[in-house]
Amino acid sequence: MSATQVIASAAAGLVKPIADIFSKREDRKKAVAIIKSETARAETDGDVAVKLSKAQWEIISKKSEVDTWKDEYITIVVTAPLILIVLGALQAAFGLGTELLDAVATIFKEANQAGIDMGELMLWTVLAGIGIKAVK
């Protein structure tokens, strides 16, 4: 596999999740429009109950969290040492020094001295990011 194929493959791997985020955002907008029309119809018809799918009810509950990047920001910050490990390994592999790997080692050492288990913190963050509640 040539270097350009490796870079193209890596770029595609980075772009796809971002494209998926925007696609899901559009799906949520469509579902919100359906929810609004259903509730308006129910009010007009005098219905007491509104029939929505499970996915639509989940969207309503998510809307209470407001469209923010808070979760994504926290995920990026907490998992940044993993990203730095990969970048540091690439840097070292091309003979450009080990500064990033040294910095990551310092991050883990300082966190350990502060009583923070970075591995467990990263695990909880990633699980929360994919929607699995993990509470100790």
Side-chain angles (χ1 to χ4, degrees):
M1 186 180 286
S2 72
T4 53
Q5 289 174 326
V6 171
I7 292 171
S9 173
L14 293 173
V15 171
K16 185 180 179 332
I18 295 169
D20 289 345
I21 288 171
F22 288 110
S23 170
K24 289 178 184 176
R25 179 173 284 164
E26 288 302 314
D27 291 344
R28 282 192 302 268
K29 285 182 182 178
K30 289 177 187 172
V32 167
I34 292 170
I35 292 166
K36 287 180 180 178
S37 68
E38 282 294 314
T39 53
R41 184 206 50 79
E43 287 176 5
T44 305
D45 294 346
D47 290 343
V48 177
V50 177
K51 295 179 183 173
L52 298 173
S53 69
K54 182 180 177 184
Q56 290 169 332
W57 283 113
E58 287 177 7
I59 288 171
I60 290 173
S61 70
K62 284 290 183 187
K63 274 300 188 189
S64 65
E65 295 176 6
V66 186
D67 289 329
T68 67
W69 287 83
K70 176 181 61 175
D71 294 340
E72 290 81 1
Y73 175 76
I74 291 170
T75 302
I76 290 169
V77 169
V78 171
T79 59
L82 293 177
I83 297 166
L84 291 175
I85 289 171
V86 171
L87 293 175
L90 288 171
Q91 180 183 5
F94 288 107
L96 301 173
T98 61
E99 293 84 9
L100 280 176
L101 291 175
D102 296 338
V104 172
T106 303
I107 290 170
F108 279 95
K109 184 178 112 189
E110 294 297 324
N112 191 28
Q113 287 178 351
I116 300 169
D117 183 352
M118 289 296 290
E120 205 167 313
L121 180 62
M122 287 181 200
L123 174 65
W124 289 351
T125 303
V126 171
L127 289 176
I130 59 175
I132 299 173
K133 294 181 181 179
V135 179
K136 187 173 181 181

